[in-house]
Amino acid sequence: ETGVTQTPRHLVMGMTNKKSLKCEQHLGHNAMYWYKQSAKKPLELMFVYSLEERVENNSVPSRFSPECPNSSHLFLHLHTLQPEDSALYLCASSQTGGGTDTQYFGPGTRLTVL
Amino acid sequence: GDSVTQMEGPVTLSEEAFLTINCTYTATGYPSLFWYVQYPGEGLQLLLKATKADDKGSNKGFEATYRKETTSFHLEKGSVQVSDSAVYFCALSDGGNYQLIWGAGTKLIIKP
C-alpha cells in the first residue's frame, strides 16, 4: 500500500450504531487530519494530530471521537450520529503540519446515516 | 478572519478550450496559496502552490500566479482535456497553525 488509505470506503449506519473509520498513511508523516466534506460546502477540518497529540479540535460534536495510536494510524469513532452527519470523511497527512506543507489525502469514506 | 472565495460551478468547456477558475482571498498576513484537485471517487491532491507574492505555481499545464495587489490566485490552463474534469479547490495557509482555509470548490466538466 502506498500513500493514504481509508477503510471502509462506504458505510451505512443507523443513528444508534457505533462504528469506526480507519486511516493509515505510508508516507512517514508526523501530522494527520480528519476532514468532513459535504456537498457545496468548503472542507471542514475536524481534528489534527501531530506526533500523536491532538493539536486542533474545531468544535466537533462529541459523537465524533478521534484516536491516534501512532503516527501512521488514525481512527474516527462514531456513535449516535445524526442524518446531517452524512458526508464524505477524508483523512490526510503531512510531513510536519506546517503552513506550507502539502497535505496528502486518502480517497475518503462515504458515510450515510439513516 | 481569513477566507477564500471561488467561482461557483459547474464550469463546462469543450476540449482544447482555455480555462480560468477564479480564486480570491482575504488574509491579514502573507499567506501561502494552493490549488488542490479532486478527481471522481478520489481524495484531494495538490495541483500547485505559491508561497509568496508574484510566485507562479505550475503543474500538468496548469498555472496560477500569486497576486497580492488583487488578492487573487486564479487557475489557468491553455488547452483542457476531458481528463481534467474534476473539482478544483483553492486554499490558503497563514502559516500559523495546521489549518488550511478552503474555498467551496469548482466543478469542471470538459466535453469531448
Side-chain angles (χ1 to χ4, degrees):
Chain A
E1 294 276 20
T2 59
V4 180
T5 57
Q6 291 186 242
T7 54
R9 292 294 306 273
H10 300 272
L11 178 62
V12 179
M13 57 188 288
M15 288 193 287
T16 58
N17 292 158
K18 289 185 180 182
K19 295 287 184 184
S20 296
L21 309 185
K22 179 183 176 183
C23 174
E24 184 173 359
Q25 60 97 358
H26 309 266
L27 300 168
H29 289 165
N30 292 319
M32 296 188 77
Y33 310 74
W34 278 119
Y35 284 94
K36 177 183 179 183
Q37 185 178 28
S38 305
K40 299 188 178 179
K41 292 175 68 175
L43 279 172
E44 299 173 52
L45 180 65
M46 301 175 73
F47 302 104
V48 181
Y49 279 81
S50 176
L51 297 171
E52 299 136 54
E53 275 195 40
R54 192 189 307 178
V55 294
E56 289 279 350
N57 176 2
N58 283 358
S59 303
V60 179
S62 59
R63 56 186 184 270
F64 295 91
S65 174
E67 179 190 0
C68 187
N70 55 61
S71 59
S72 298
H73 293 86
L74 186 65
F75 295 88
L76 188 63
H77 304 298
L78 316 171
H79 64 97
T80 58
L81 295 191
Q82 305 298 311
E84 60 265 28
D85 297 323
S86 298
L88 183 68
Y89 288 84
L90 292 165
C91 174
S93 71
S94 69
Q95 185 61 50
T96 63
T100 58
D101 264 11
T102 297
Q103 293 186 18
Y104 293 81
F105 285 79
T109 295
R110 174 67 64 185
L111 174 66
T112 303
V113 181
L114 301 177
Chain B
D2 296 352
S3 67
V4 173
T5 303
Q6 287 182 240
M7 61 191 295
E8 280 196 39
V11 173
T12 304
L13 296 171
S14 297
E15 209 165 17
E16 299 183 5
F18 184 87
L19 168 71
T20 300
I21 299 179
N22 290 338
C23 172
T24 56
Y25 67 90
T26 58
T28 52
Y30 300 91
S32 296
L33 300 171
F34 305 80
W35 278 102
Y36 279 78
V37 59
Q38 185 177 30
Y39 297 103
E42 299 183 14
L44 284 73
Q45 56 185 275
L46 179 70
L47 182 59
L48 53 84
K49 69 180 182 183
T51 57
K52 60 183 189 297
D54 300 324
D55 267 2
K56 178 186 282 188
S58 61
N59 186 25
K60 299 182 181 179
F62 290 89
E63 292 182 340
T65 301
Y66 187 157
R67 301 281 189 205
K68 191 171 186 300
E69 63 276 12
T70 55
T71 62
S72 64
F73 193 54
H74 303 322
L75 183 68
E76 297 182 335
K77 186 175 185 183
S79 176
V80 292
Q81 306 300 313
V82 172
S83 57
D84 294 326
S85 298
V87 181
Y88 293 80
F89 294 88
C90 186
L92 74 80
S93 168
D94 64 10
N97 56 34
Y98 300 85
Q99 186 152 248
L100 288 176
I101 308 300
W102 295 88
T106 301
K107 184 172 184 178
L108 175 65
I109 300 169
I110 306 301
K111 296 184 182 269

